[in-house]
Amino acid sequence: MTMESKNRMIDVRNVYFTYPHNNENESVVALDGVSLHIEKGEFVGIIGHNGSGKSTLSKLLNAIIFPTQGDVIVSGLNTKDQENLWTIRQTAGMVFQNPDNQLVATIVEEDVAFGPENLGVPPQEIRERVDRALAVVEMQAYAHQKPHQLSGGQKQRIAIAGILAMEPECIIFDEPTAMLDPSGRREVMETIKRLNRDKDMTVIHITHFMEEIVAADRIIVLDKGKVVMEGEPRTIFRQVKRLKEIGLDVPQMTELAYELRKEGLKIADDVLSIEEMVNALCQ
Amino acid sequence: MSVEIKNLSHTYSEGSPFEFKALKDINITIEDGSFIGIIGHTGSGKSTLIQHLNGLLTPSSGTVIVDGKDIFETKKAELIALRHHIGLVFQYPEHQLFEETVQKDVAFGPKNQGLNEEEIDQRVRQSIKMVGLDFDAIKDKSPFELSGGQMRRVAIAGVLAMEPSVLILDEPTAGLDPRGREEILAQIKLLHSQKQITVILVSHSMEDIGKMVDKILVMNEGEVVFFDTPNRVFTEISTLESIGLAVPEVTYLMRRLKEKYPEIREDVFTVEAAKKEILKVIRG
């Protein structure tokens, strides 16, 4: 095994995906020759407008669907091989948009135990995993509550704990904050960032909120089923015009810097945070 | 149409162990033709409040007066007629699409209003156009083969086809991508200015609300915290934060810049306004 493949969490090699056909018998090309890779421990943001192929990609990484052409390799395993399926799904966990669709049990800790139970983990170890997972998302105090009594942000943290209890190496978040209010969104984002920073979890975060991925290691931009941009947040967001053309936003501070530059103010074009903007304007 | 909310309280499951006071003595008047934003975190009472405005929920005490009429004092038939004038677009309204074609789905409301075929047809065409969709291209499609943003618009068109005088939208942009959000908001704004109707927009996004509305109603734990212009509300940063809300990033920026530029205005909440203000103080 080479050094490179050892650190590689996910490898997507020239992947095409076509949905068979819609009502009018036209097939829809959702991914059109996508190649990308995610290293272990990375925090990667994926952005793109609705229909750009983001969700198709996330389902391919989790072996829910399979490439029409090309290969998806998760932790060295090809999703094409049937015998790899369960290992892959355990390796790459997924958290979806709607917390209400992901919780299955009537008590929080039973919900978190659902995954490891299905993996055949011994009861004593399930207990330990559930406690650990609830501690990581800071929801121990709610272990005996009913999920429907929790707020949206709390439900999403329980969904994350449920994935953690399966001990994955990587979690794919598919717009986990889309249905939350600002405080719920903050809770969930703090949890995701902590997982990556303190637990070395590989994180793939798909979102429409640009502020959430300002601190990512790398951002991948999808448009019409293709990877159109890839790089550090600073490199991506400074391309304000291009992002707007493909229907995306930039963080407010980046947009303000862009507007001020247009007016002739000498200011860097890769400002991302309030702090940086204050520094730029108060020199 | 003006909407007057008077001493309105609502308690869920009153007298049971699950009793929950969702609204506590709300008193506000929404002027005819105004554009109001409602903001507050989950559980603050926003949704409970708007469901009283067209009589979906009955108050525990107090009432709602629409165009001078107490809607909870009127006869049932009158209330039904009144409901046609108050259009409510729920969260994720596309979940309520059900017909075989877009045209039939949008026609459902006006059909129930007992209009004749010709009038229904005209309203369906108009409202589909109003939400920025091409009537001829979309009318025969199944609502379920459309994209998320298109489905959302068809659902909104279904409410518009009833020609409400008051339009209430509960988080119309939730879950949409940035372009989808912008388009929906632009259409709502256009609708408000063209039709002169009263619009009430519930949103989590301070940025969206700040740009569009005349007045913001801030709610917390079933009570009114502020009911004022965006400029006044957004300068109350610490109160907003204490109830789990945040102001737009540019507003925080202005506050920070005040240390160096004491003359800078703080009541700024859009990138456009921030740009003007910064240029003004820097260039003097």
Side-chain angles (χ1 to χ4, degrees):
Chain A
M1 214 185 240
T2 62
M3 228 9 233
E4 191 191 62
S5 61
K6 215 175 174 181
N7 288 326
R8 190 145 287 186
M9 185 68 241
I10 285 168
D11 215 341
V12 174
R13 295 178 190 156
N14 201 21
V15 163
Y16 290 79
F17 187 84
T18 308
Y19 284 102
H21 55 75
N22 60 11
N23 290 356
E24 281 154 14
N25 279 322
E26 304 157 323
S27 51
V28 178
V29 179
L31 290 180
D32 194 6
V34 167
S35 294
L36 56 89
H37 57 90
I38 313 276
E39 305 301 324
K40 284 189 176 156
E42 251 195 317
F43 188 132
V44 177
I46 299 186
I47 55 177
H49 61 78
N50 291 341
S52 61
K54 301 182 309 276
S55 291
T56 304
L57 177 63
S58 71
K59 286 179 196 140
L60 284 164
L61 301 184
N62 195 247
I64 296 174
I65 53 175
F66 306 95
T68 313
Q69 199 187 311
D71 294 291
V72 175
I73 318 284
V74 178
S75 203
L77 302 172
N78 196 317
T79 61
K80 267 183 190 157
D81 299 332
Q82 283 291 319
E83 69 254 38
N84 291 340
L85 273 194
W86 293 105
T87 323
I88 286 173
R89 288 188 192 149
Q90 194 188 332
T91 310
M94 228 172 143
V95 175
F96 297 92
Q97 202 180 95
N98 190 341
D100 292 323
N101 293 347
Q102 295 172 81
L103 304 183
V104 290
T106 50
I107 302 287
V108 164
E109 62 174 12
E110 285 175 13
D111 194 273
V112 178
F114 183 79
E117 267 169 11
N118 277 299
L119 298 174
V121 175
Q124 180 53 36
E125 199 191 326
I126 292 181
R127 178 76 262 165
E128 286 163 19
R129 285 194 188 192
V130 168
D131 292 342
R132 255 199 321 265
L134 284 172
V136 172
V137 299
E138 294 178 351
M139 288 291 288
Q140 304 104 305
Y142 298 86
H144 302 291
Q145 291 233 13
K146 297 180 187 352
H148 74 262
Q149 292 170 337
L150 304 178
S151 73
Q154 290 172 329
K155 283 183 194 165
Q156 232 18 352
R157 279 149 70 197
I158 296 303
I160 295 172
I163 299 297
L164 288 176
M166 298 202 283
E167 305 198 329
E169 293 174 48
C170 159
I171 304 183
I172 302 149
F173 294 92
D174 192 354
E175 297 188 43
T177 62
M179 297 177 83
L180 306 180
D181 66 8
S183 49
R185 192 178 303 153
R186 212 174 309 136
E187 274 170 41
V188 168
M189 281 319 296
E190 274 165 17
T191 307
I192 296 175
K193 284 177 188 163
R194 206 169 51 234
L195 278 176
N196 175 253
R197 197 181 52 222
D198 302 344
K199 304 278 161 194
D200 247 347
M201 181 71 68
T202 309
V203 168
I204 300 171
H205 183 56
I206 300 175
T207 186
H208 285 318
F209 297 102
M210 306 303 149
E211 276 79 9
E212 292 178 356
I213 47 168
V214 158
D217 295 314
R218 202 149 53 93
I219 293 177
I220 294 172
V221 186
L222 289 177
D223 187 39
K224 298 186 187 118
K226 286 183 165 43
V227 173
V228 289
M229 291 157 94
E230 190 183 344
E232 287 177 13
R234 234 169 257 290
T235 335
I236 299 292
F237 286 133
R238 78 200 317 169
Q239 305 179 55
V240 178
K241 205 165 154 238
R242 181 132 181 248
L243 286 168
K244 295 219 158 182
E245 273 165 13
I246 56 178
L248 294 173
D249 248 343
V250 295
Q252 261 199 346
M253 288 305 123
T254 317
E255 182 167 6
L256 181 59
Y258 173 77
E259 290 294 329
L260 289 172
R261 277 171 66 86
K262 275 206 296 199
E263 295 294 327
L265 226 59
K266 285 200 178 67
I267 197 170
D269 64 353
D270 59 354
V271 171
L272 288 177
S273 67
I274 295 177
E275 205 52 49
E276 289 172 15
M277 185 58 108
V278 170
N279 289 337
L281 290 173
C282 294
Q283 277 164 10
Chain B
M1 271 184 169
S2 66
V3 180
E4 195 183 339
I5 301 166
K6 263 185 138 175
N7 308 106
L8 184 69
S9 295
H10 189 90
T11 307
Y12 287 108
S13 313
E14 203 160 4
S16 86
F18 303 107
E19 182 174 301
F20 177 68
K21 289 196 167 87
L23 292 177
K24 302 168 195 165
D25 197 25
I26 308 286
N27 283 291
I28 55 165
T29 302
I30 297 166
E31 312 280 346
D32 182 26
S34 61
F35 198 145
I36 301 296
I38 304 183
I39 202 154
H41 65 77
T42 312
S44 60
K46 298 172 305 209
S47 298
T48 306
L49 178 66
I50 58 173
Q51 288 180 61
H52 280 86
L53 303 187
N54 71 346
L56 280 180
L57 284 176
T58 315
S60 303
S61 62
T63 194
V64 176
I65 296 167
V66 176
D67 250 6
K69 265 191 208 137
D70 185 331
I71 66 169
F72 298 105
E73 289 281 302
T74 55
K75 290 195 200 84
K76 206 176 167 210
E78 241 183 307
L79 178 62
I80 290 169
L82 196 71
R83 273 190 190 152
H84 293 160
H85 296 291
I86 302 176
L88 180 52
V89 179
F90 285 100
Q91 267 180 54
Y92 296 90
E94 61 274 22
H95 294 167
Q96 292 164 47
L97 296 171
F98 67 100
E99 275 284 11
E100 288 163 17
T101 69
V102 168
Q103 185 170 22
K104 280 188 192 169
D105 207 288
V106 177
F108 183 77
K111 223 175 192 169
N112 275 303
Q113 286 177 294
L115 302 174
N116 65 44
E117 289 293 324
E118 201 180 324
E119 205 166 344
I120 293 173
D121 185 63
Q122 203 202 339
R123 284 200 185 183
V124 171
R125 279 170 193 274
Q126 244 179 18
S127 49
I128 288 179
K129 196 172 153 229
M130 252 187 282
V131 295
L133 295 171
D134 179 347
F135 177 79
D136 292 315
I138 209 168
K139 69 179 167 68
D140 294 325
K141 286 199 171 167
S142 157
F144 304 103
E145 60 176 292
L146 306 176
S147 75
Q150 287 175 323
M151 280 167 86
R152 179 82 47 100
R153 287 173 205 214
V154 169
I156 295 176
V159 173
L160 293 181
M162 298 170 74
E163 300 203 335
S165 316
V166 179
L167 178 64
I168 308 166
L169 303 117
D170 194 356
E171 302 229 30
T173 62
L176 298 183
D177 62 18
R179 184 175 288 169
R181 287 206 289 264
E182 226 165 78
E183 284 173 354
I184 294 258
L185 291 176
Q187 264 137 16
I188 293 170
K189 205 168 179 179
L190 192 69
L191 194 71
H192 174 250
S193 61
Q194 283 181 345
K195 295 230 149 194
Q196 312 280 315
I197 57 176
T198 309
V199 178
I200 301 173
L201 176 69
V202 179
S203 172
H204 283 319
S205 166
M206 286 281 192
E207 281 87 349
D208 291 350
I209 281 206
K211 273 189 263 188
M212 300 178 68
V213 306
D214 307 321
K215 263 175 144 184
I216 300 181
L217 172 64
V218 180
M219 296 195 62
N220 185 45
E221 292 181 354
E223 289 175 303
V224 172
V225 183
F226 298 112
F227 184 47
D228 216 327
T229 58
N231 296 45
R232 294 233 183 91
V233 171
F234 283 145
T235 44
E236 304 284 345
I237 297 185
S238 51
T239 311
L240 292 171
E241 283 183 336
S242 72
I243 57 173
L245 299 174
V247 296
E249 283 205 328
V250 289
T251 315
Y252 284 111
L253 175 70
M254 302 315 267
R255 170 158 288 197
R256 289 288 307 277
L257 291 177
K258 214 171 171 63
E259 292 158 25
K260 165 115 190 228
Y261 305 101
E263 71 278 27
I264 207 161
R265 289 174 61 143
E266 280 185 77
D267 58 347
V268 162
F269 39 86
T270 63
V271 169
E272 185 60 30
K275 175 179 109 179
K276 278 195 195 136
E277 192 60 24
I278 289 169
L279 290 174
K280 202 172 88 194
V281 297
I282 283 187
R283 289 179 176 163

